[in-house]
Amino acid sequence: MAMYAMLRRASSSVLPQLARRATASSSSRTFQNVLSVLQREATITVVPSLRFANAFATKTGADEKLVQVLQSEVECALEDDHAQHQVDIPDDFPFEIEDNPGERTIQLKGQFRDETIRVQVDIPNVAPEENEDNENGEKNESESSIPLVVSVFKGNGVSLEFGVTAFPDEISIDSLSIKQSEESEDQLAYEGPEFIDLDENLQKAFHKYLEIRGIKPSTTNFLQEYMFAKDNKEYVMWLKNLKNFIEK
């Protein structure tokens, strides 16, 4: 009995110590495991953040460079004579001008007797410089031109439409066709032969037809000047819009 009592006392004093050590060891391992997980998560979180920060810095630097180049282009464009040139409309100009900023074309509207004349004028086709050589080493003497679509409307909605190219002091009719008011875009209407294939007297008569309706060299020469100025203004505005978008 005495021996049994001694063993109980010994075990009662040793077991709590072992339990405390086991608990401490388990807690230490648990803490180490948690710390290890947190370190891995921090590494996973921080590394992409650093990469994103570096990419953002690079992107910002590229954007700033682009803004500088755009600003330089704006300044160069403003130095062009057409940028500051104010085009005065002649007193005898036969059309009203509808010019909406941001659009590449302008619309003209006029009247002749009971007809309504509408003209769509596009941005000029700029010819190469006169001193520029072509592939054969010869001087290129082609001229700038502006494309026009001239529509003559009568009261019944039917129109006669001309495709015109206007050169300095010269007007060339490229095509003509009758347009029905309810004509479907899917319909392939017969538009006649090429204008240049028509009888010469018929060609002259159509030129005269347009001339008395205001489509003549004095009109198209003014439109050349007007559209060159518009082209430059639209280009400057386009550059500024790009610059403002990049900066935001």
Side-chain angles (χ1 to χ4, degrees), residues 172-176 192-203 206-207:
S172 173
I173 299 176
D174 304 316
S175 63
L176 65 88
E194 294 290 332
F195 185 81
I196 196 171
D197 294 333
L198 296 177
D199 179 81
E200 185 175 349
N201 290 329
L202 188 55
Q203 292 184 40
F206 273 119
H207 275 281

Side-chain angles (χ1 to χ4, degrees), residues 49-181:
S49 298
L50 290 175
R51 291 175 181 172
F52 175 77
N54 291 335
F56 180 77
T58 302
K59 179 178 181 297
T60 302
D63 289 358
E64 291 177 352
K65 178 63 176 178
L66 177 56
V67 169
Q68 293 174 2
V69 175
L70 286 170
Q71 180 59 36
S72 176
E73 287 295 313
V74 170
E75 293 172 0
C76 289
L78 289 174
E79 292 176 359
D80 190 282
D81 294 338
H82 292 291
Q84 307 298 330
H85 181 54
Q86 296 296 326
V87 181
D88 296 325
I89 301 175
D91 294 335
D92 59 347
F93 190 69
F95 298 101
E96 298 177 4
I97 299 177
E98 180 182 333
D99 184 356
N100 297 318
E103 297 181 2
R104 59 173 291 155
T105 61
I106 64 171
Q107 307 294 326
L108 308 180
K109 182 179 179 180
Q111 292 291 137
F112 179 77
R113 298 177 181 171
D114 61 342
E115 300 172 346
T116 299
I117 317 298
R118 295 186 180 274
V119 185
Q120 178 178 279
V121 188
D122 206 340
I123 291 295
N125 296 317
V126 181
E129 296 292 336
E130 291 184 0
N131 58 356
E132 184 177 334
D133 294 344
N134 60 21
E135 295 179 355
N136 299 323
E138 299 174 350
K139 296 296 182 180
N140 194 327
E141 298 179 353
S142 59
E143 298 174 306
S144 61
S145 62
I146 53 173
L148 299 86
V149 177
V150 182
S151 300
V152 180
F153 292 88
K154 293 193 179 269
N156 58 3
V158 180
S159 64
L160 178 57
E161 183 177 288
F162 293 84
V164 175
T165 301
F167 300 92
D169 300 320
E170 181 184 354
I171 294 173
S172 173
I173 299 176
D174 304 316
S175 63
L176 65 88
S177 60
I178 293 289
K179 299 291 184 181
Q180 303 292 335
S181 58

Side-chain angles (χ1 to χ4, degrees), residues 18-48:
L18 292 174
R20 286 194 297 271
R21 291 178 181 177
T23 302
S25 176
S26 177
S27 300
S28 176
R29 287 196 298 272
T30 301
F31 177 75
Q32 291 296 330
N33 290 338
V34 171
L35 183 60
S36 176
V37 170
L38 291 175
Q39 288 175 339
R40 287 198 300 272
E41 291 182 351
T43 302
I44 292 172
T45 304
V46 170
V47 171

